[in-house]
């Protein structure tokens, strides 16, 4: 018996396109512009909660690609997709123009204040004491389990940079439309970078820790560095002393020690750990080999290149 073709309700696809366009128009005009015009005063618990909902429940779940017999050439569909493309382009331009502003929004302070309000009521703790108590709660929690806890759902999520996450989806949608859905690949919904594998073994971490602990980042233990570099941590151990130096370290680790299948996933994750956008990283990651670098940066770049040539590569061969 001949199998019947899967049926697709074209109206559902059109409805998703219209909904996404409305979502983007609201996001651009009612939320992001409001934050920009109020110098961040409207950035609060409710706004972060809205962004998380939009990201997880809408942007990461929508469907604008038909599985069978796509009708992307019909005139009505072209009009709808044009409107969506315009909306995503506006979102992209807003993010690029104000990326520094979005990056510097006080996410950590918002999380600490909300933790203090929800979990430590009627106590007069300093900010450092609140941070210490927060770390005590989440430090020993398995990363994958932590993102499923009620604590993360009520407080922990406030640390995420949803502006950047939504920007990346906007770029993907725009490119998808411009390519008329040719070469379509689903968007990676794992924005929290939950994974099972280890990217680097303890030998690699040992040598990086031995050479640069307390130099390009504040002193931490080897196991803390191992958990951080392998994206297994739930709190941010890495306190950067020199961003240009650590960017060059990340560049070497990504390109010399990782295969292409996981390298971008790791880079996105480690930049998120230090609250840095890909745009800023891309503009600075080779600064220590520029002609105008300082003598300190030159010595660091030379030592790192030597380390990777003589020690680290054989460890993973």
């Amino acid at each position: 018996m001949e199998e019947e073709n899967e049926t697709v309700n074209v109206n559902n696809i059109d409805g998703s396109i219209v909904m996404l366009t409305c979502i983007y128009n609201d996001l651009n005009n009612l939320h992001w512009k409001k934050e920009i015009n109020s110098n961040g005063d409207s950035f609060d618990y409710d706004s972060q909660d809205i962004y998380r909902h939009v990201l997880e429940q809408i942007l990461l779940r929508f469907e604008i690609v038909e599985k069978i017999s796509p009708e992307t050439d019909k005139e009505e569909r072209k009009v709808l997709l044009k409107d969506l493309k315009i909306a995503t382009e506006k979102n992209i331009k807003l993010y690029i123009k104000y990326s520094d502003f979005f990056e510097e929004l006080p996410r950590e302070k918002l999380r600490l204040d909300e933790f203090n309000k929800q979990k430590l009521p009627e106590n007069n703790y300093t900010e450092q004491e609140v941070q210490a108590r927060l770390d005590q709660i989440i430090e020993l929690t398995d990363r994958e389990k932590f993102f499923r806890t009620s604590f993360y759902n009520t407080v922990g999520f406030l640390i995420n940079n949803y502006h950047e996450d939504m920007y990346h989806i906007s770029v993907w949608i725009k490119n998808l439309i411009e390519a008329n859905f040719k070469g379509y690949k689903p968007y990676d919904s794992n924005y929290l970078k939950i994974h099972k594998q280890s990217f680097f073994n303890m030998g690699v971490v040992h040598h990086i820790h031995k050479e640069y602990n307390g130099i390009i980042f504040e002193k931490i233990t080897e196991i803390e560095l191992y958990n951080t570099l392998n994206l297994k941590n739930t709190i941010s151990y890495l306190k950067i002393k020199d961003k240009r130096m650590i960017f060059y370290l990340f560049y070497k680790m990504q390109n010399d020690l990782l295969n292409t299948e996981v390298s971008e996933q790791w880079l996105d994750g480690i930049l998120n750990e230090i609250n840095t956008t890909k745009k800023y990283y891309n503009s600075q990651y080779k600064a220590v080999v520029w002609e105008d670098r300082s003598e300190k940066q030159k010595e660091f770049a030379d030592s790192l290149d030597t380390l990777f040539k003589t020690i680290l590569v054989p460890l993973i061969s």
Side-chain angles (χ1 to χ4, degrees):
M1 181 177 177
E2 186 176 338
E3 292 185 5
E4 294 183 3
N5 285 338
E6 178 183 359
T7 59
V8 174
N9 188 335
V10 175
N11 291 333
N12 285 347
I13 302 298
D14 290 342
S16 292
I17 297 172
V18 172
M19 179 192 70
L20 277 176
T21 303
C22 291
I23 290 291
Y24 269 109
N25 287 334
D26 286 348
L27 189 65
N28 296 335
N29 300 321
L30 299 182
H31 296 285
W32 285 23
K33 279 193 174 180
K34 185 178 180 182
E35 282 179 349
I36 294 165
N37 293 334
S38 67
N39 199 30
D41 288 346
S42 64
F43 176 78
D44 55 18
Y45 185 96
D46 289 339
S47 69
Q48 280 290 84
D49 197 30
I50 289 171
Y51 294 154
R52 184 189 181 196
H53 175 80
V54 169
L55 178 69
E56 295 184 348
Q57 303 302 320
I58 301 175
L59 296 185
L60 292 177
R61 295 189 178 191
F62 73 88
E63 289 189 7
I64 58 173
V65 181
E66 294 169 12
K67 299 175 184 176
I68 300 295
S69 302
E71 298 183 16
T72 55
D73 290 332
K74 70 175 188 176
E75 288 306 313
E76 183 181 357
R77 178 70 53 79
K78 286 182 179 180
V79 173
L80 295 179
L81 287 174
K82 180 180 178 182
D83 290 342
L84 176 57
K85 182 171 177 283
I86 291 172
T88 56
E89 286 175 336
K90 186 173 183 179
N91 184 260
I92 292 168
K93 289 177 181 177
L94 274 175
Y95 179 81
I96 291 175
K97 183 176 181 180
Y98 295 100
S99 59
D100 290 343
F101 168 80
F102 291 137
E103 185 178 355
E104 292 168 5
L105 286 170
R107 303 174 199 282
E108 181 62 47
K109 185 177 186 307
L110 177 62
R111 184 172 69 161
L112 285 177
D113 289 348
E114 195 63 31
F115 170 66
N116 194 21
K117 183 172 70 175
Q118 289 191 26
K119 308 298 182 181
L120 306 174
E122 301 178 6
N123 288 298
N124 189 27
Y125 294 116
T126 65
E127 186 171 300
Q128 290 74 21
E129 289 171 330
V130 174
Q131 181 71 67
R133 287 176 175 269
L134 175 62
D135 290 348
Q136 285 177 348
I137 290 177
I138 65 178
E139 183 174 17
L140 299 179
T141 307
D142 176 82
R143 182 179 177 92
E144 184 175 3
K145 292 179 181 177
F146 173 65
F147 289 129
R148 296 173 181 169
T149 61
S150 60
F151 181 85
Y152 176 79
N153 289 328
T154 55
V155 175
F157 75 94
L158 296 169
I159 197 64
N160 293 323
N161 186 345
Y162 292 112
H163 295 82
E164 184 178 13
D165 291 326
M166 291 188 284
Y167 156 76
H168 289 310
I169 295 179
S170 301
V171 172
W172 178 75
I173 294 174
K174 174 179 175 290
N175 291 339
L176 198 64
I177 296 172
E178 289 179 344
N180 200 28
F181 305 98
K182 293 178 181 177
Y184 166 74
K185 291 183 180 180
Y187 188 83
D188 181 9
S189 61
N190 185 19
Y191 76 95
L192 295 173
K193 308 305 176 190
I194 299 171
H195 60 90
K196 301 293 185 183
Q197 78 271 28
S198 291
F199 296 95
F200 309 102
N201 62 40
M202 191 50 128
V204 169
V205 174
H206 166 75
H207 286 284
I208 293 174
H209 185 270
K210 179 182 177 182
E211 295 295 328
Y212 304 115
N213 189 36
I215 297 175
I216 62 176
F217 49 84
E218 299 290 345
K219 288 187 175 182
I220 56 177
T221 67
E222 279 192 43
I223 192 64
E224 288 170 343
L225 183 61
Y226 175 84
N227 286 335
T228 298
L229 293 179
N230 283 294
L231 309 182
K232 294 181 180 293
N233 55 312
T234 50
I235 68 173
S236 182
Y237 294 112
L238 219 51
K239 309 299 181 187
I240 310 305
K241 297 184 74 170
D242 190 309
K243 276 198 169 184
R244 287 184 167 185
M245 289 184 182
I246 204 159
F247 285 173
Y248 191 59
L249 171 63
F250 292 166
Y251 164 73
K252 296 289 288 185
M253 293 176 73
Q254 180 196 16
N255 288 276
D256 292 7
L257 304 181
L258 294 177
N259 62 55
T260 54
E261 292 180 1
V262 299
S263 63
E264 283 300 318
Q265 178 193 25
W266 176 78
L267 182 62
D268 290 345
I270 198 65
L271 292 180
N272 186 60
E273 289 296 320
I274 62 171
N275 193 28
T276 297
T277 64
K278 181 76 76 67
K279 175 189 174 185
Y280 183 67
Y281 167 81
N282 285 337
S283 71
Q284 298 290 322
Y285 71 90
K286 282 194 173 180
V288 296
V289 296
W290 292 345
E291 288 187 3
D292 63 347
R293 60 185 171 170
S294 67
E295 186 61 30
K296 181 180 178 182
Q297 290 173 335
K298 180 182 182 303
E299 291 176 359
F300 164 75
D302 291 344
S303 74
L304 187 64
D305 290 343
T306 300
L307 178 68
F308 270 70
K309 287 178 182 177
T310 61
I311 298 176
L312 293 190
V313 173
L315 280 171
I316 62 167
S317 61

